[in-house]
């Protein structure tokens, strides 16, 4: 019912930048909070950043000052601008969207397919 398509991952040197995008499509009535998670091999998936309907956002301490989450409600898209990237940022990044479908009566969580971010010299 709701599909999320991610893009923007890749290989970058330490100190470089990447911008991730996640576009939601389908039978969407409304979208609530959106966020980005990441998971490195053998590690738990962690919440990186969230952004709420009014534009307020939260970040995990390790990315504060380096990452910026934003959203374009007209395009049902959430972005993650990643600057000053470090090797520890290497992971698969997943977007997450809480959405209400046209036929639903509660919000559900939907996940993107994941995009690889590798920070290496």
């Amino acid at each position: 019912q709701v599909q999320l398509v991610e893009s923007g991952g890749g290989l970058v040197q330490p100190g470089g930048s990447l911008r991730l995008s996640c576009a939601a499509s389908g039978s969407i009535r409304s979208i609530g909070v959106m966020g980005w998670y990441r998971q490195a091999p053998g590690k738990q998936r962690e919440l990186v950043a969230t952004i709420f309907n009014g534009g307020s956002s939260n970040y995990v301490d390790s990315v504060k000052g380096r990452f910026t989450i934003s959203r374009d409600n007209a395009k049902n898209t959430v972005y993650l601008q990643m600057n000053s990237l470090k090797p520890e940022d290497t992971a698969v990044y997943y977007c997450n969207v809480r959405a209400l479908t046209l036929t639903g009566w509660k919000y559900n969580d939907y996940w993107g397919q994941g995009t690889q971010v590798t920070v290496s010299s």
Side-chain angles (χ1 to χ4, degrees), residues 8-109:
L11 175 64
V12 65
Q13 293 184 344
S17 298
L18 286 173
R19 190 191 194 209
L20 306 183
S21 299
C22 175
S25 62
S27 302
I28 300 171
R29 183 174 300 280
S30 63
I31 290 178
V33 64
M34 299 188 287
W36 289 94
Y37 292 72
R38 67 186 181 187
Q39 187 169 28
K43 296 184 178 180
Q44 295 185 29
R45 185 173 300 187
E46 69 170 344
L47 178 61
V48 177
T50 58
I51 184 166
F52 296 88
N53 305 64
S56 62
S57 58
N58 295 310
Y59 302 90
V60 67
D61 286 344
S62 60
V63 309
K64 287 181 178 178
R66 301 188 297 119
F67 290 11
T68 302
I69 188 171
S70 61
R71 61 192 288 170
D72 185 335
N73 292 326
K75 297 181 180 293
N76 289 338
T77 300
V78 60
Y79 306 93
L80 186 66
Q81 178 67 48
M82 304 184 293
N83 298 325
S84 301
L85 283 162
K86 305 175 180 180
E88 65 192 51
D89 296 318
T90 296
V92 177
Y93 284 70
Y94 299 89
C95 64
N96 174 268
V97 173
R98 304 206 81 185
L100 180 69
T101 65
L102 295 177
T103 59
W105 55 89
K106 69 180 291 290
Y107 282 79
N108 292 116
D109 288 340

